[in-house]
Amino acid sequence: MNVSAVGKFLDQPILISKLKNQTPKILTGAALAYGIYDTMKAPKEERKNRGIKNAVVLSTVVITSLISAFGLKTGKKQILKGLVDVKEPENIIKSNINAVDKFLKFNTVDKKAENTLNKAKNGLLNLNDTKEILKLKNSDYKGIDELFDTLFSKKEDLSAKEIFKETGRLSILGLIPVASGVLGGIAAEKITGENTPKSTSNKIKEGAYQFLANIFMCNVGAAGALFAAERLQKAGKIKVLSPMGKLGVIMGGIFVTGILGGSYVANWIGKHILDPVFEGKNHKNKGFNKNFAGKEDLYTERKPELLDIALHTDDIATAGVLSGFKWIEPMLPLMYTISGYRAGIGYRNGKNN
């Protein structure tokens, strides 16, 4: 498999735009299908209440995820701007036409390459087309870099400072559906008459876990690890990192600061702050054991799991370390909907008690 060609194929602005336009349909369909599945698998006597809770939580989270990402429009009027900036297809086509015409004006290429370039003026290139255009890259053609930056998303090489800015944007993007999930879950249980201090506490604790462990702390870890690597490079301690090297540094920061550190912080907040608030005099430090060092094992309440790790794909996209990952950004509402839904049902590794 030609990894570079696959990356460039996925990184076409026109493909990213099409993904963005399909995301609301995909997300709504997936949420509806899961809501029906989860409701029908419940015991018959519980299905009504389960259906109400799924409807309220999923609809709330899906709507807020989409609005926070893509904004809100009435007709052609943009009422609210989203946090994910994706160009409209017609604007991308105009840019492609200008870039191809300009390139062909100053350069002569073989007929096959010319025909392939002209395809980009009409829409999406397939994988074979992408491979053909990549053959032009290592050449002395005039304006080749400008052509590639137009047909494929411009490759980012973000500094730690720039990533810190991006983490703020992504953290807000993730916080909104998580917060709405918590509020939607509490409202749903008030409707069904199942709301208790414990169930509310679980939702807020899971919301804190999703935001800290799966979103915010991972973003901080990614930026912090890259910042440290930059300092070591300037001090001559390490060589300049390749894109793959940066990816490894960023994933290390995500794992240590987010998956492990974020889990610990979120569980600590749950035990020492949220449990006493919601349980009052009935609060007991149950569910937390002492490990071999005599310290509290906070992971016994909510352990990191594979799905938590999978939700960090967005951190790779944000870093912009490798070309071919920007296509993930329009799909972020899908990832954040999972976090919001889990917060809304008070997920604690399957134990909602």
Side-chain angles (χ1 to χ4, degrees), residues 3 12 24 33 55 94 141 189 244 250 264 267 294 322 326 337-338:
V3 177
Q12 294 178 80
K94 287 179 182 178
Y141 288 121
E189 287 193 341
M244 284 302 295
I250 288 170
Y264 187 92
N267 282 335
L322 299 174
K326 290 185 179 179
T337 292
I338 296 172

Side-chain angles (χ1 to χ4, degrees), residues 158-322:
L158 301 181
S159 66
K161 182 179 179 180
E162 290 168 323
I163 285 187
F164 273 117
K165 183 178 179 180
E166 283 295 287
T167 59
R169 178 178 68 92
L170 269 191
S171 295
I172 295 171
L173 188 61
L175 176 61
I176 293 172
V178 168
S180 71
V182 172
L183 295 175
I186 293 172
E189 287 193 341
K190 285 186 179 296
I191 294 173
T192 61
E194 298 173 327
N195 181 252
T196 66
K198 182 64 176 176
S199 68
T200 298
S201 174
N202 275 348
K203 288 171 180 52
I204 296 175
K205 285 194 290 185
E206 183 65 21
Y209 185 94
Q210 291 295 332
F211 179 67
L212 290 172
N214 289 348
I215 301 171
F216 179 72
M217 292 291 285
C218 285
N219 292 338
V220 172
L226 187 54
F227 181 79
E230 279 189 349
R231 293 296 153 196
L232 290 173
Q233 287 177 38
K234 288 181 179 180
K237 302 293 184 183
I238 61 174
K239 295 180 180 180
V240 176
L241 293 174
S242 65
M244 284 302 295
K246 281 192 176 184
L247 179 61
V249 167
I250 288 170
M251 290 306 296
I254 289 171
F255 181 77
V256 175
T257 306
I259 298 173
L260 298 182
S263 299
Y264 187 92
V265 170
N267 282 335
W268 188 94
I269 289 173
K271 176 191 174 183
H272 292 282
I273 298 177
L274 298 177
D275 281 350
V277 168
F278 286 96
E279 296 181 24
K281 294 180 180 180
N282 296 322
H283 171 63
K284 295 180 182 179
N285 291 339
K286 55 188 177 181
F288 291 90
N289 303 320
K290 299 287 185 178
N291 61 24
F292 65 89
K295 297 180 180 179
E296 291 170 334
D297 182 6
L298 294 178
Y299 295 111
T300 56
E301 179 172 332
R302 177 64 164 87
K303 301 179 180 69
E305 54 190 33
L306 286 176
L307 183 57
D308 296 318
I309 297 173
L311 293 175
H312 302 309
T313 314
D314 59 283
D315 299 301
I316 305 172
T318 309
V321 179
L322 299 174

Side-chain angles (χ1 to χ4, degrees), residues 37-86:
Y37 162 76
D38 188 66
T39 299
M40 296 308 296
K41 78 174 186 178
K44 192 172 182 179
E45 64 275 11
E46 297 178 13
R47 285 178 187 171
K48 180 181 178 181
N49 285 353
R50 181 73 67 87
I52 292 172
K53 286 191 283 187
N54 276 327
V56 173
V57 174
L58 285 169
S59 61
T60 301
V61 174
V62 167
I63 290 170
T64 53
S65 292
L66 292 173
I67 291 176
S68 62
F70 307 132
L72 186 62
K73 268 187 176 182
T74 300
K76 293 186 177 181
K77 185 178 180 182
Q78 188 81 39
I79 298 174
L80 185 65
K81 185 175 174 60
L83 294 169
V84 173
D85 187 20
V86 179

Side-chain angles (χ1 to χ4, degrees), residues 121-183:
K121 296 163 65 173
N122 299 314
L124 185 68
L125 296 170
N126 61 36
L127 186 57
N128 288 330
D129 295 332
T130 305
K131 291 177 182 178
E132 186 63 33
I133 292 180
L134 279 178
K135 294 176 183 178
L136 304 174
K137 182 62 177 174
N138 297 320
S139 65
D140 56 357
Y141 288 121
K142 185 177 180 180
I144 188 67
D145 289 336
E146 182 182 348
L147 176 70
F148 269 68
D149 287 346
T150 303
L151 299 185
F152 312 106
S153 297
K154 185 176 181 179
K155 185 176 178 180
E156 302 268 354
D157 187 15
L158 301 181
S159 66
K161 182 179 179 180
E162 290 168 323
I163 285 187
F164 273 117
K165 183 178 179 180
E166 283 295 287
T167 59
R169 178 178 68 92
L170 269 191
S171 295
I172 295 171
L173 188 61
L175 176 61
I176 293 172
V178 168
S180 71
V182 172
L183 295 175

